[in-house]
Amino acid sequence: MARTRLYRKGVLEATDFPVEQVSDHLQDPTAVVWLDLCDPAEAGLDVIREELGLHALAVEDALAEHQRPKLDRYATHAFLAVYAVKTDEHTGQLSKSEINAFVTPNALVTVHKDDFDMDAVAQRWDSSADLAKGGVGFLLHGLLDGVVDGHLVAAQALDDRIEAMEDQLFDDRLPHPDVQRRALRLRKSLLSLRRVVMPMREVLSSLMHRDHHIVDDAMMPYFQDVYDHVLFAWEWVESLRELVTTLRETQLNLQGNRMNNIMKKVTSWAAIIAVPTAITGFYGQNVPYPGYSAAWGFWVSAASIVVVSGGLYALFKRRDWL
């Protein structure tokens, strides 16, 4: 399914007109056209390639999945690949939506799967209609601003989950495997977010390069604002990765300390139990010894068990081994 918009001299003039009319509108130098293709087939892109003069390699990249975020320059247009992200409310798992765009002097063609909400981008354009005179730069800003804001929202969601895990780190009632699984899921989500956010610095820098003539002077401050958000998201993700690593190390240290405490208690009780075992074993000899076959021998052995075991218990308790 295709969606279209026509801006003429900074004013929205038409929406959802037939794709066949795109080339007719582009003959007017004051017109700017947006064409959105959701999960298109190769034949659908071939028509756009002929009308807009798109490079075959750019069309191939748009059809292929799992492109790296990038900006490629061709003779008549630029090809942009970025990723929108969102996190699952229950598991915190990160999901990505690939968005490709062909950027020409007076047209923006977006290509994506149906898992990306393009309505939110259209609402951004409508809410800042006074910037529509910026042409394709205006449309591109609305798209990238929404994508980068989604990166910040994902970073905030992961930050909240990490903070919650910090509070539960010292809770002995929680099972350790569950905490470990959540920590590994968070680390995996952060790595995925890092792969998305890190190349965006280069993408924004290339877009703002004046020799590329994509962003005019009026839109440059707005792209600079998006670039600042990208830097903030990048620094945030890096700090969260370090924090998750620290939490993981802290969790392992706590687990080691708990194991040491358990070993101290087990060893202490083993030492206490060894006392009556040794004494009764001594008195179980089949040879005569002082107190053999006498009542006072029994009482001496019983008293020795109580005194020595009690003394060891008091000693271990004072040293916090029990």
Side-chain angles (χ1 to χ4, degrees), residues 42-63:
E42 184 174 357
L45 279 179
D46 286 340
V47 176
I48 302 301
R49 181 180 64 180
E50 295 176 0
E51 293 192 4
L52 299 180
L54 304 179
H55 198 280
L57 289 178
V59 175
E60 182 181 346
D61 287 343
L63 292 173

CSV table of all heavy atoms in Angstrom, one decimal, residues 42-63:
chain,number,residue,atom,x,y,z
A,42,GLU,N,9.3,-6.0,-5.6
A,42,GLU,CA,10.4,-5.5,-6.5
A,42,GLU,C,9.8,-4.8,-7.7
A,42,GLU,O,10.4,-3.7,-8.1
A,42,GLU,CB,11.3,-6.6,-6.9
A,42,GLU,CG,12.5,-6.2,-7.7
A,42,GLU,CD,13.4,-7.3,-8.0
A,42,GLU,OE1,13.1,-8.5,-7.6
A,42,GLU,OE2,14.4,-7.1,-8.7
A,43,ALA,N,8.7,-5.2,-8.2
A,43,ALA,CA,8.1,-4.6,-9.3
A,43,ALA,C,7.6,-3.2,-9.0
A,43,ALA,O,7.7,-2.2,-9.8
A,43,ALA,CB,6.9,-5.4,-9.9
A,44,GLY,N,7.1,-3.0,-7.8
A,44,GLY,CA,6.7,-1.7,-7.4
A,44,GLY,C,7.8,-0.7,-7.3
A,44,GLY,O,7.6,0.5,-7.6
A,45,LEU,N,9.0,-1.1,-6.8
A,45,LEU,CA,10.1,-0.2,-6.8
A,45,LEU,C,10.7,0.1,-8.2
A,45,LEU,O,11.3,1.1,-8.4
A,45,LEU,CB,11.2,-0.8,-5.9
A,45,LEU,CG,11.0,-0.6,-4.4
A,45,LEU,CD1,12.1,-1.3,-3.6
A,45,LEU,CD2,10.9,0.9,-4.0
A,46,ASP,N,10.5,-0.9,-9.1
A,46,ASP,CA,11.0,-0.6,-10.4
A,46,ASP,C,10.3,0.5,-11.1
A,46,ASP,O,11.0,1.3,-11.8
A,46,ASP,CB,10.8,-1.9,-11.3
A,46,ASP,CG,11.8,-3.0,-10.9
A,46,ASP,OD1,12.8,-2.7,-10.3
A,46,ASP,OD2,11.5,-4.2,-11.2
A,47,VAL,N,9.0,0.7,-10.8
A,47,VAL,CA,8.3,1.8,-11.4
A,47,VAL,C,8.9,3.1,-10.8
A,47,VAL,O,9.1,4.1,-11.6
A,47,VAL,CB,6.8,1.7,-11.1
A,47,VAL,CG1,6.1,2.9,-11.6
A,47,VAL,CG2,6.2,0.4,-11.7
A,48,ILE,N,9.1,3.2,-9.5
A,48,ILE,CA,9.6,4.4,-8.9
A,48,ILE,C,11.1,4.6,-9.4
A,48,ILE,O,11.5,5.8,-9.5
A,48,ILE,CB,9.6,4.3,-7.3
A,48,ILE,CG1,8.2,4.0,-6.9
A,48,ILE,CG2,10.2,5.5,-6.7
A,48,ILE,CD1,7.2,5.1,-7.3
A,49,ARG,N,11.8,3.6,-9.6
A,49,ARG,CA,13.2,3.8,-10.0
A,49,ARG,C,13.2,4.4,-11.4
A,49,ARG,O,14.1,5.3,-11.6
A,49,ARG,CB,13.9,2.4,-10.1
A,49,ARG,CG,15.3,2.5,-10.6
A,49,ARG,CD,16.0,1.1,-10.6
A,49,ARG,NE,15.3,0.3,-11.7
A,49,ARG,CZ,15.7,-1.0,-11.9
A,49,ARG,NH1,16.7,-1.5,-11.3
A,49,ARG,NH2,15.0,-1.6,-12.9
A,50,GLU,N,12.3,4.1,-12.2
A,50,GLU,CA,12.3,4.7,-13.6
A,50,GLU,C,11.9,6.1,-13.5
A,50,GLU,O,12.4,7.0,-14.2
A,50,GLU,CB,11.4,3.9,-14.5
A,50,GLU,CG,11.9,2.5,-14.8
A,50,GLU,CD,10.9,1.7,-15.6
A,50,GLU,OE1,9.8,2.2,-16.0
A,50,GLU,OE2,11.2,0.5,-15.9
A,51,GLU,N,10.9,6.4,-12.7
A,51,GLU,CA,10.3,7.8,-12.6
A,51,GLU,C,11.3,8.7,-11.9
A,51,GLU,O,11.4,9.9,-12.3
A,51,GLU,CB,9.0,7.8,-11.9
A,51,GLU,CG,7.9,7.1,-12.6
A,51,GLU,CD,6.5,7.4,-12.0
A,51,GLU,OE1,6.4,8.2,-11.1
A,51,GLU,OE2,5.5,6.8,-12.5
A,52,LEU,N,12.0,8.3,-10.9
A,52,LEU,CA,12.9,9.2,-10.1
A,52,LEU,C,14.4,9.0,-10.5
A,52,LEU,O,15.2,9.7,-9.9
A,52,LEU,CB,12.7,8.9,-8.6
A,52,LEU,CG,11.3,9.2,-8.1
A,52,LEU,CD1,11.3,8.9,-6.6
A,52,LEU,CD2,10.9,10.6,-8.3
A,53,GLY,N,14.7,8.0,-11.3
A,53,GLY,CA,16.1,7.8,-11.7
A,53,GLY,C,16.9,7.2,-10.6
A,53,GLY,O,18.1,7.7,-10.4
A,54,LEU,N,16.4,6.3,-9.8
A,54,LEU,CA,17.1,5.7,-8.7
A,54,LEU,C,18.1,4.7,-9.1
A,54,LEU,O,17.9,4.0,-10.1
A,54,LEU,CB,16.1,5.1,-7.7
A,54,LEU,CG,14.9,5.9,-7.2
A,54,LEU,CD1,14.0,5.1,-6.3
A,54,LEU,CD2,15.5,7.1,-6.5
A,55,HIS,N,19.2,4.7,-8.4
A,55,HIS,CA,20.3,3.8,-8.7
A,55,HIS,C,19.9,2.4,-8.4
A,55,HIS,O,19.2,2.1,-7.4
A,55,HIS,CB,21.6,4.2,-8.0
A,55,HIS,CG,22.8,3.6,-8.5
A,55,HIS,ND1,23.2,2.3,-8.3
A,55,HIS,CD2,23.7,4.1,-9.4
A,55,HIS,CE1,24.3,2.1,-8.9
A,55,HIS,NE2,24.7,3.2,-9.6
A,56,ALA,N,20.3,1.4,-9.2
A,56,ALA,CA,20.0,0.0,-9.0
A,56,ALA,C,20.5,-0.5,-7.7
A,56,ALA,O,19.8,-1.3,-7.0
A,56,ALA,CB,20.5,-0.8,-10.2
A,57,LEU,N,21.7,-0.1,-7.3
A,57,LEU,CA,22.2,-0.6,-6.0
A,57,LEU,C,21.4,-0.1,-4.8
A,57,LEU,O,21.2,-0.8,-3.8
A,57,LEU,CB,23.7,-0.1,-5.8
A,57,LEU,CG,24.7,-0.8,-6.8
A,57,LEU,CD1,26.1,-0.2,-6.5
A,57,LEU,CD2,24.7,-2.3,-6.5
A,58,ALA,N,20.9,1.2,-4.9
A,58,ALA,CA,20.0,1.7,-3.9
A,58,ALA,C,18.7,0.9,-3.8
A,58,ALA,O,18.2,0.6,-2.7
A,58,ALA,CB,19.8,3.2,-4.1
A,59,VAL,N,18.1,0.6,-4.9
A,59,VAL,CA,16.9,-0.2,-4.9
A,59,VAL,C,17.2,-1.6,-4.4
A,59,VAL,O,16.3,-2.1,-3.6
A,59,VAL,CB,16.3,-0.3,-6.4
A,59,VAL,CG1,15.1,-1.2,-6.4
A,59,VAL,CG2,16.0,1.1,-6.9
A,60,GLU,N,18.3,-2.1,-4.7
A,60,GLU,CA,18.6,-3.5,-4.1
A,60,GLU,C,18.8,-3.4,-2.6
A,60,GLU,O,18.3,-4.3,-1.9
A,60,GLU,CB,19.9,-3.9,-4.8
A,60,GLU,CG,20.4,-5.3,-4.3
A,60,GLU,CD,21.7,-5.8,-4.9
A,60,GLU,OE1,22.1,-5.1,-5.9
A,60,GLU,OE2,22.3,-6.7,-4.4
A,61,ASP,N,19.4,-2.3,-2.1
A,61,ASP,CA,19.5,-2.2,-0.6
A,61,ASP,C,18.2,-2.0,0.0
A,61,ASP,O,17.9,-2.5,1.2
A,61,ASP,CB,20.4,-1.0,-0.3
A,61,ASP,CG,21.9,-1.3,-0.6
A,61,ASP,OD1,22.2,-2.4,-0.8
A,61,ASP,OD2,22.7,-0.3,-0.7
A,62,ALA,N,17.2,-1.3,-0.6
A,62,ALA,CA,15.9,-1.1,-0.1
A,62,ALA,C,15.1,-2.4,0.0
A,62,ALA,O,14.3,-2.6,1.0
A,62,ALA,CB,15.1,-0.1,-0.9
A,63,LEU,N,15.4,-3.3,-0.9
A,63,LEU,CA,14.7,-4.6,-0.9
A,63,LEU,C,15.3,-5.6,0.1
A,63,LEU,O,14.7,-6.5,0.6
A,63,LEU,CB,14.6,-5.2,-2.3
A,63,LEU,CG,13.7,-4.4,-3.3
A,63,LEU,CD1,13.9,-5.0,-4.7
A,63,LEU,CD2,12.3,-4.5,-2.9
